[in-house]
Amino acid sequence: MTERIERVVTSGTFSLDGGTWDVDNNVWILGNDSSVIIIDPAHDVDKIAAKVAGRTVEKILLTHAHDDHIGSAKEASDRFGAPVYLNPADRELWTMVYPSWGFDEELEDGMTLALGDTELTVLATPGHSPGSVCFYAPTLSWDNSEGVVFSGDTLFNGGPGATGRSFSSFETIIESIRHKLLTLPESTAVLTGHGDSTGIGLEAPNLEAWIARGH
Ligand SMILES: [Fe+2]
């Protein structure tokens, strides 16, 4: 069965280091007629459930543990009866939101997760946070791309994710993007945690400019 991708945009807040900001998050639903995987079920589980439309949620994958991405993970896990996957390198951020509830499964670099005929490969891409990951699916397509990578807050349309707050490193995110993302085929769509999608071929020429500007 061929898997397809759906996008839900949800609204809420992101808080860290004593500040709070309004944010819109992209929630990605990868699935077929019977089953789905949800990536970062942020803010509004009712809106996400409407798009899931009664299909079985096999897994909830988290790109990282900032509170805008994980704040509704427990509600989603309970509602859909699905296990939550996170890279344990983000445990310190996780426990700031869930001091007494643990996620179910640990993501690690290079592991693969399957849904139907689709395989997702976990790419550890630290920098925006220590445990940030991306999910690469060479057989999926978005807007006629060949392959997609769900990039969380590691790579956006226009450059790297933010590294100005706690637990972040600009040098580390640049190395992650250089070695883990810009090495993917140019035809790969980049499906981001916030804002517009982009492509590896569109972003790759800008690496040196990002380094020069320092963010
Ligand atoms: Fe983030």
Side-chain angles (χ1 to χ4, degrees), residues 14 25 63-69 128-129 132 152-154 156 162 165 194:
F14 165 54
N25 282 58
T63 60
H64 65 296
H66 280 157
D67 70 350
D68 53 332
H69 292 253
H128 177 69
S129 70
S132 283
D153 288 1
T154 294
F156 291 123
R165 289 184 272 272
H194 306 273

Side-chain angles (χ1 to χ4, degrees), residues 13-22 67 165:
T13 61
F14 165 54
S15 298
L16 190 64
D17 295 340
T20 296
W21 301 267
D22 291 330
D67 70 350
R165 289 184 272 272

Side-chain angles (χ1 to χ4, degrees), residues 143-167:
D143 278 351
N144 300 313
S145 75
E146 293 177 26
V148 307
V149 63
F150 299 96
S151 66
D153 288 1
T154 294
L155 180 60
F156 291 123
N157 184 326
T163 52
R165 289 184 272 272
S166 298
F167 308 102

Side-chain angles (χ1 to χ4, degrees), residues 169-199:
S169 162
F170 181 69
E171 291 72 21
T172 305
I173 202 172
I174 286 292
E175 291 313 297
S176 291
I177 291 170
R178 183 199 303 276
H179 296 295
K180 293 295 192 59
L181 298 183
L182 301 188
T183 50
L184 299 174
E186 286 191 359
S187 58
T188 307
V190 177
L191 307 185
T192 59
H194 306 273
D196 294 337
S197 301
T198 183

